[in-house]
Amino acid sequence: MTPAETPAATPAATPAENEVAELCSELIRIDSSNYGDGSGPGERAAAEAVMARLAEVGIEAAYIESEPGRGNVITRVEGTDPSLPALLVHGHLDVVPANAADWSVDPFGGEVRDGYIWGRGAVDMKDMDAMMLAVLRQLTRDGRRPRRDLVFAWVADEEAGGVYGAKHLTKHHPELFEGVTEAISEVGGYSLEVDPSLRLYLIETAQKGLGWMRLIADGTAGHGSMLNPDNAVTEIAKAVARVGAHEWPITLTPTVRTFLTEVAAAFGIPFDENDPAPVLDKIGPLVRFVGATLNHTANPTQLDAGYKSNVIPGQASAVIDGRFLPGHEDEFFKTIDELIGPKVRREFVHHDIALETSFDGALVESMIAALKAEDPTARAVPYCMSGGTDNKTFFADLGVRGFGFVPLRLPGDMDFASMFHGVDERVPVDALQFGVRVLDRLLLNY
Ligand SMILES: [Zn+2]
């Protein structure tokens, strides 16, 4: 941030701003890689570091292991107004693995260089874990109390489906979330610079649903030299080809429509619903987050049939990775069934809901106000993610309305989307300090 861009009202750096980078580095230095098969180091060491940092300022937290080594930390700050519903602030402590040979720094070094903190988890999502810690520590040291109860949770296993993290907590300890109606967490709240007088902050309000489907064709087994009008391989091949070649029409959900309208307005270009490509061009690499949210997708990913050149198998199967838009699940599966036809059946390998919440209400107003207070050029816009987070399923099952809000004011030329699970993942130190200021305002005043 150059002095000219510094908002006039920015106060001197607070202890939270001063320590957030160190907290982030500390967490990055703890390898909590999640391989998804239980072979990783687990989250215990990272969870213990969070517990220790909380204990330093006198905060008691619950440490919950779902399985040996799979640590979760949760604590509640009592608000001054018990009539208000509680807000959940959650971050995951696990990270995806990193292949050190590909990196220009040690991915578990937590090094600060050129104004950035480098390492696996710097944006996904030890940045937020550290911001949560810094803000909570400062609230506690200052003896300030929020208006509503705040539940802070640092959870395990998000990168492999949340079974040992959010799922375990919501299933076995639902009392910890008593009174929680809303949540903030990852993959939203970062800036997209339009020009020096306007920054869009993308707040995630929707997530596509997921349908991994196995297609199965049953036919008549037999010798490969004979006539066979009931060949399972032929049937599965036809079904897979039809699904894979299908062009899903553009279907704008309320979130995506608002997003495209706002982006077009910000860049001063028209928005044609039938041709949104020019608007998407304007968001640069962030298209990785939203490019697949204008329509359903269904990509064939696996095929399995047969065991010998001259034997027609009695069954053949395939797997389709389907992602459907919120509010359009029934229509998606109806189309899939039409495409695969009556001779092929399907079953779920994995099925997860889609989510969409409206971009309004007191929490949204508070997020906008907190952003604007720290960046007068801020304009918040809702967006839909093509993937999913812990806000889906587990917290949604408890009736919690979730938002992606990790406030980061980023340099205009930063390719933020490629940082997620990417090589040389890094986050600007001043973006973390900005985030701490925004979160402090939001959590105290909301
Ligand atoms: Zn994440």
Side-chain angles (χ1 to χ4, degrees), residues 213-217 236 240 300-304 316-320 349:
M213 296 162 275
R214 179 171 290 108
L215 308 184
I216 302 156
I236 206 74
V240 167
T301 51
Q302 292 178 277
L303 280 171
D304 187 25
S317 69
V319 175
I320 306 288
V349 177

Side-chain angles (χ1 to χ4, degrees), residues 25-310:
S25 286
E26 178 183 343
L27 290 173
I28 290 171
R29 283 195 296 269
I30 301 168
D31 180 359
S32 52
S33 295
N34 188 348
Y35 295 88
D37 59 1
S39 67
E43 297 83 355
R44 178 187 287 164
E48 284 176 350
V50 170
M51 292 289 287
R53 289 299 194 163
L54 295 175
E56 258 176 16
V57 294
I59 299 169
E60 280 179 33
Y63 176 72
I64 296 168
E65 282 200 348
S66 47
E67 284 285 322
R70 309 310 299 268
N72 297 272
V73 178
I74 186 162
T75 188
R76 180 181 289 250
V77 182
E78 222 174 283
T80 54
D81 185 347
S83 73
L84 293 174
L87 174 70
L88 170 66
V89 188
H90 61 100
H92 61 81
L93 288 170
D94 60 325
V95 293
V96 293
N99 181 14
D102 299 335
W103 287 56
S104 44
V105 297
D106 173 4
F108 299 102
E111 190 180 326
V112 178
R113 186 202 285 184
D114 305 329
Y116 285 77
I117 302 171
W118 298 64
R120 176 56 84 223
V123 305
D124 188 9
M125 63 175 295
K126 287 175 171 172
D127 55 343
M128 180 62 162
D129 293 333
M131 282 155 54
M132 289 161 56
L133 257 184
V135 170
L136 177 53
R137 280 160 59 90
Q138 174 132 14
L139 284 180
T140 308
R141 282 186 302 237
D142 295 349
R144 293 179 295 159
R145 282 178 65 192
R147 296 174 62 226
R148 66 189 63 234
D149 280 14
L150 301 175
V151 177
F152 285 81
W154 290 265
V155 303
D157 201 32
E158 193 277 342
E159 297 291 1
V163 173
Y164 300 108
K167 183 176 184 182
H168 180 87
L169 294 181
T170 52
K171 193 170 171 210
H172 298 286
H173 305 274
E175 72 285 353
L176 295 171
F177 304 98
E178 178 87 48
V180 171
T181 58
E182 293 168 317
I184 58 171
S185 190
E186 63 180 329
V187 207
Y190 50 86
S191 66
L192 165 65
E193 189 172 298
V194 177
D195 61 50
S197 68
L198 178 59
R199 270 187 206 84
L200 301 181
Y201 285 81
L202 277 57
I203 299 179
E204 180 259 300
T205 57
Q207 302 181 2
K208 282 177 91 175
L210 185 153
W212 291 345
M213 296 162 275
R214 179 171 290 108
L215 308 184
I216 302 156
D218 294 301
T220 305
H223 199 291
S225 69
M226 298 176 186
L227 296 175
N228 189 329
D230 187 30
N231 185 321
V233 178
T234 306
E235 286 307 324
I236 206 74
K238 286 195 289 189
V240 167
R242 282 193 298 264
V243 171
H246 184 67
E247 288 187 27
W248 297 92
I250 291 176
T251 306
L252 298 182
T253 62
T255 299
V256 175
R257 184 186 303 277
T258 305
F259 173 76
L260 293 172
T261 305
E262 291 272 345
V263 170
F267 285 94
I269 60 170
F271 165 44
D272 176 356
E273 292 201 359
N274 299 311
D275 182 20
V279 182
L280 289 178
D281 282 347
K282 289 291 182 188
I283 66 172
L286 289 178
V287 78
R288 289 164 69 143
F289 283 141
V290 298
T293 63
L294 278 63
N295 47 251
H296 303 299
T297 57
N299 285 308
T301 51
Q302 292 178 277
L303 280 171
D304 187 25
Y307 54 89
K308 195 168 183 300
S309 303
N310 62 352

